[in-house]
Amino acid sequence: MFKIGIIGGTGYTGAELLRILANHPQAEVTIISSRAECGKSVAEIYPNLRGSYNLSFSVPTVDELALCDLVFFATPHGVAMNQAPELLARGVKVIDLGADFRIKDTDEWAKWYGMQHSALAEVSEAVYGLPEINREKIRQARLVANPGCYPTAAQLGLIPLITNNIIDPSDLIIDAKSGVSGAGRGANVPMLLCESSENFKSYGVAGHRHLPEIVQGLEQHTSAKIGLTFVPHLVPMIRGMQATMYGTILDKTVDIQALFEDYYKDEFFVDVMPEGSLPETRSVKGANFCRISVFRPQDGNKVVVLSVIDNLAKGASTQAIQNMNIMLGLEEALGLTALGMMP
Ligand SMILES: NC(=O)c1ccc[n+]([C@@H]2O[C@H](COP(=O)([O-])OP(=O)(O)OC[C@H]3O[C@@H](n4cnc5c(N)ncnc54)[C@H](OP(=O)(O)O)[C@@H]3O)[C@@H](O)[C@H]2O)c1
């Protein structure tokens, strides 16, 4: 059994890590942190976990965390960069669900995240944890930067087209929608039921923090400059995310459906749906799957890619466990084969 620690155990991604790891045959959560709920049992905060954990929230010391094989940071940005280096030095593997190690250009990171980076060497070392793209590097990694939710849905939908030069990389549009849990559990007026229910709105139109992450990810697959317009929206549901993506086709002779099916033919967690079908967020609710479908409306020069994930699952915690499995030399899908919940 591998010993697992979680920093930030009361947040939504921390709770989702706990839910999935409760049934993982090779991982045992031994430390779960919270400053606000220190001393309370896990079941007191998350009754769905009653009977699965005999564990209380604590504020662990580095010595206590150093007894873990792997520690997840399910914390806001700025936390992991201050604590991960010491754990790495003590031989602990680290997965950060936050943004501290995702962006290689730390000046760019500082611009978007409003603080100076404090762990420059670790940023260079970190492997971006999109397993379908970086599996072999993740296998060797001590430190994995788990991707953001929008960047996961977006990159899985666009990389097959970018890498095969099917679309113009300088003219991409991502129109994306997220459920409210994407904003986390902290009290925040716009996320209250009365504010977000029966409402639909865009945000971050002038610039969202996931934009540089998506651009950096796509740039790995082309020598051309990426031109991206990214507009996220908030939809009144708890979980789920869809990225609807538009690209201008360069080569109209290519069978795009066949290209996607071939690109992901060995990927268990990416489901390329049959031609003409529409992926639904509820089909991946609570599951580590990404469902994709592709269209070329009216046989025109635009391709439309629809990509759905659960923001808390493939967009965060189950993808982090997929990375954990790879880093620990376990079977990649171990503990992750649960299907989406419908209705
Ligand atoms: N929500 C999503 O859909 C989603 C998807 C992908 C990635 N992410 C990323 O994952 C991370 C966690 O997101 P979340 O939605 O789970 O957040 P959240 O619900 O706001 O929870 C944050 C957790 O971090 C702890 N925490 C806050 N400040 C801390 C500090 N300085 N030191 C130690 N612990 C601290 C909090 O507990 P205490 O304050 O009690 O210690 C809480 O347990 C974020 O970086 C977020 O951007 C979220």
Side-chain angles (χ1 to χ4, degrees):
M1 268 306 193
F2 290 99
K3 290 188 168 51
I4 307 299
I6 302 173
I7 305 296
T10 50
Y12 287 153
T13 61
E16 188 69 348
L17 285 171
L18 283 170
R19 185 178 74 84
I20 305 297
L21 289 173
N23 292 322
H24 194 290
Q26 294 290 331
E28 182 195 1
V29 179
T30 53
I31 294 177
I32 179 86
S33 97
S34 167
R35 299 159 310 160
E37 307 296 352
C38 185
K40 288 196 183 150
S41 74
V42 161
E44 243 176 294
I45 306 295
Y46 285 109
N48 59 324
L49 301 174
R50 266 179 67 77
S52 295
Y53 287 98
N54 184 18
L55 203 59
S56 295
F57 294 102
S58 67
V59 180
T61 63
V62 175
D63 285 342
E64 286 167 333
L65 288 169
L67 298 174
C68 295
D69 296 290
L70 185 144
V71 169
F72 292 100
F73 281 87
T75 46
H77 62 273
V79 177
M81 69 179 184
N82 288 322
Q83 297 183 23
E86 199 169 349
L87 293 178
L88 293 168
R90 303 276 294 262
V92 180
K93 294 183 187 223
V94 170
I95 299 177
D96 179 23
L97 281 76
D100 290 7
F101 303 104
R102 293 182 196 154
I103 302 207
K104 293 293 178 191
D105 179 339
T106 48
D107 291 335
E108 182 77 358
W109 187 87
K111 198 173 89 190
W112 288 93
Y113 287 91
M115 59 177 80
Q116 289 305 309
H117 211 290
S118 64
L120 303 188
E122 286 74 14
V123 174
S124 320
E125 172 185 343
V127 173
Y128 189 68
L130 198 54
E132 289 73 16
I133 307 301
N134 277 341
R135 183 168 288 115
E136 291 318 311
K137 287 185 184 155
I138 294 165
R139 216 182 290 291
Q140 310 301 327
R142 299 190 307 159
L143 171 61
V144 160
N146 211 58
C149 42
Y150 286 124
T152 296
Q155 289 175 82
L156 290 175
L158 286 176
I159 285 171
L161 296 169
I162 299 283
T163 204
N164 287 295
N165 299 315
I166 308 298
I167 55 172
D168 178 358
S170 71
D171 183 22
L172 303 169
I173 295 175
I174 301 175
D175 179 314
K177 282 93 186 165
S178 173
V180 181
S181 64
R185 188 163 179 256
N188 183 0
V189 170
M191 304 304 151
L192 294 172
L193 180 72
C194 295
E195 307 290 326
S196 60
S197 175
E198 300 295 322
N199 191 31
F200 178 88
K201 67 173 182 182
S202 47
Y203 63 102
V205 183
H208 184 281
R209 285 169 172 166
H210 286 170
L211 186 133
E213 183 183 337
I214 298 169
V215 169
Q216 174 185 272
L218 297 179
E219 275 173 354
Q220 312 297 310
H221 302 273
T222 174
S223 53
K225 197 166 164 43
I226 297 292
L228 172 63
T229 303
F230 168 50
V231 181
H233 300 77
L234 190 68
V235 291
M237 59 186 185
I238 294 173
R239 287 170 178 246
M241 167 166 287
Q242 171 163 330
T244 303
M245 296 171 276
Y246 306 84
T248 304
I249 299 173
L250 298 173
D251 180 356
K252 288 189 185 168
T253 63
V254 174
D255 180 342
I256 293 173
Q257 175 72 25
L259 179 132
F260 269 80
E261 286 175 6
D262 184 61
Y263 193 86
Y264 286 122
K265 64 180 184 305
D266 298 325
E267 294 299 340
F268 181 71
F269 291 118
V270 181
D271 176 21
V272 178
M273 297 182 70
E275 201 155 1
S277 31
L278 299 167
E280 298 185 47
T281 56
R282 62 183 183 153
S283 79
V284 293
K285 190 172 177 182
N288 193 44
F289 291 93
C290 172
R291 293 215 146 84
I292 293 178
S293 65
V294 286
F295 289 83
R296 194 174 142 205
Q298 295 85 49
D299 283 337
N301 69 341
K302 296 284 181 209
V303 59
V304 180
V305 184
L306 312 176
S307 170
V308 300
I309 59 171
D310 180 333
N311 55 295
L312 292 177
K314 183 66 173 163
S317 304
T318 59
Q319 177 145 269
I321 294 169
Q322 189 180 354
N323 282 317
M324 176 197 84
N325 286 341
I326 299 170
M327 291 167 83
L328 297 178
L330 300 171
E331 201 257 303
E332 188 170 326
L334 203 60
L336 289 174
T337 51
L339 304 176
M341 285 180 275
M342 283 181 73

